[in-house]
């Protein structure tokens, strides 16, 4: 499993703290103190995952994320102000894979990064597995992509994970607690809307059909309905 992480954070003290901790945990760390440098390094294809602060001195982290998503599916974990739900919502809409509020616990950040990288590495190891077809969707694990009528869906790493779990259990209810653990690699916590935001984005990318392919089962979780 590759573990090259790019930290884009203008707070020198925090960036250096995270860099030291991640290095001690076995990560190869690169650093950037502003958005433009971070974008340039991220597009240089020398990183496996990006930790990106939203508040940067030149261009915002959200603008960096937009530029990244126009050119790459590199996994991105946002650093957001604690309690600022608007930034998190916009971040997921733009294409973030996960977020962690500041001030952040380095140990929690490592756990989030490792979980995301493990899921990606696992799918890359399943390249020999046959593609799976669910109606007009085709899952190709080795390429980590899902095709809709033979056209690849533009999914983030986490959106791919959520959708492929739902497809694997098509027609059945997947509890939110299970989906959070299986797709994001962590437990569902009270007031955490991360999963809801990913589901909302997936519905848009699947065409906002009525009724939706991904149904909300109130009080339980979600179910994928294979179109007839």
């Amino acid at each position: 499993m590759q573990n090259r992480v790019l930290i884009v954070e203008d707070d020198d003290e925090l960036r250096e703290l995270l860099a030291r901790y991640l290095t001690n945990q076995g990560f190869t760390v690169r650093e950037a103190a502003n958005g433009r440098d971070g974008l340039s390094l991220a597009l240089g294809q020398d990183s496996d995952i990006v930790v990106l602060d939203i508040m940067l001195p030149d261009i915002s982290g959200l603008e960096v994320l937009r530029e990244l998503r126009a050119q790459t599916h590199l996994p991105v974990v946002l650093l957001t102000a604690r309690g600022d739900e608007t930034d998190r919502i916009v971040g997921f809409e733009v294409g973030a894979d996960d977020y962690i509020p500041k001030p952040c616990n380095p140990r929690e950040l490592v756990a989030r990064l490792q979980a995301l990288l493990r899921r990606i590495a696992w799918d890359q190891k399943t390249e020999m597995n046959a593609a799976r077809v669910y109606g007009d969707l085709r899952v190709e694990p080795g390429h980590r992509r899902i095709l809709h009528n033979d056209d690849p869906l533009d999914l983030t790493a986490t959106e791919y994970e959520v959708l492929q779990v739902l497809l694997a259990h098509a027609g059945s209810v997947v509890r939110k607690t299970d989906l959070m653990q299986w797709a994001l690699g962590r437990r569902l916590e009270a007031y955490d809307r991360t999963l809801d935001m990913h589901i909302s984005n997936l519905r848009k990318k699947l065409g906002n059909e009525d009724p939706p392919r991904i149904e909300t089962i109130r009080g339980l979780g979600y179910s994928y309905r294979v179109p007839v």
Side-chain angles (χ1 to χ4, degrees):
M1 181 181 70
Q2 297 295 305
N3 58 358
R4 301 171 299 177
V5 59
L6 169 64
I7 303 174
V8 186
E9 166 63 62
D10 65 314
D11 184 323
D12 294 339
E13 184 176 354
L14 175 59
R15 188 182 68 253
E16 291 167 6
L17 169 66
L18 294 178
R20 285 196 302 271
Y21 192 87
L22 289 171
T23 299
N24 290 336
Q25 295 299 312
F27 286 83
T28 299
V29 181
R30 305 181 79 193
E31 302 176 44
N34 60 65
R36 289 189 175 87
D37 288 347
L39 180 59
S40 177
L41 288 173
L43 293 177
Q45 300 182 343
D46 292 324
S47 303
D48 300 305
I49 197 165
V50 178
V51 177
L52 176 62
D53 186 21
I54 286 184
M55 299 297 293
L56 294 170
D58 49 354
I59 57 176
S60 75
L62 293 176
E63 185 58 34
V64 173
L65 181 56
R66 288 189 182 95
E67 291 294 327
L68 283 177
R69 283 296 167 259
Q71 303 183 55
T72 178
H73 290 95
L74 187 65
V76 175
V77 176
L78 289 179
L79 295 177
T80 69
R82 186 175 299 276
D84 195 338
E85 187 173 1
T86 300
D87 278 346
R88 294 199 292 270
I89 292 173
V90 174
F92 282 122
E93 291 175 345
V94 174
D97 291 284
D98 203 352
Y99 80 93
I100 188 167
K102 295 168 62 177
C104 67
N105 184 322
R107 184 176 179 182
E108 181 180 1
L109 177 60
V110 167
R112 299 281 186 94
L113 296 178
Q114 289 177 335
L116 188 50
L117 290 170
R118 273 197 303 268
R119 295 196 301 273
I120 294 171
W122 173 259
D123 283 330
Q124 290 172 341
K125 289 180 181 178
T126 63
E127 190 167 357
M128 298 298 293
N129 290 357
R132 303 185 297 273
V133 177
Y134 305 88
D136 55 3
L137 295 187
R138 176 184 176 89
V139 181
E140 297 183 345
H143 299 289
R144 283 187 58 81
R145 67 179 183 179
I146 298 177
L147 289 72
H148 179 213
N149 291 324
D150 296 326
D151 293 323
L153 291 170
D154 185 19
L155 304 178
T156 67
T158 301
E159 288 168 356
Y160 167 86
E161 295 293 345
V162 172
L163 183 53
Q164 67 92 14
V165 169
L166 290 173
L167 288 171
H169 298 82
S172 302
V173 178
V174 180
R175 293 180 179 275
K176 291 183 69 172
T177 52
D178 292 335
L179 185 56
M180 192 75 170
Q181 187 67 55
W182 295 339
L184 278 79
R186 58 186 173 89
R187 292 184 297 177
L188 179 68
E189 298 179 358
Y191 308 111
D192 187 344
R193 295 190 57 206
T194 302
L195 196 54
D196 300 326
M197 295 174 190
H198 287 305
I199 293 292
S200 176
N201 288 341
L202 284 170
R203 284 172 175 156
K204 293 174 185 176
K205 293 179 179 183
L206 290 169
N208 274 331
E209 297 173 336
D210 187 18
R213 294 180 184 224
I214 302 176
E215 300 177 292
T216 299
I217 311 302
R218 190 173 297 277
L220 290 176
Y222 300 100
S223 177
Y224 183 87
R225 175 185 57 83
V226 178
V228 178

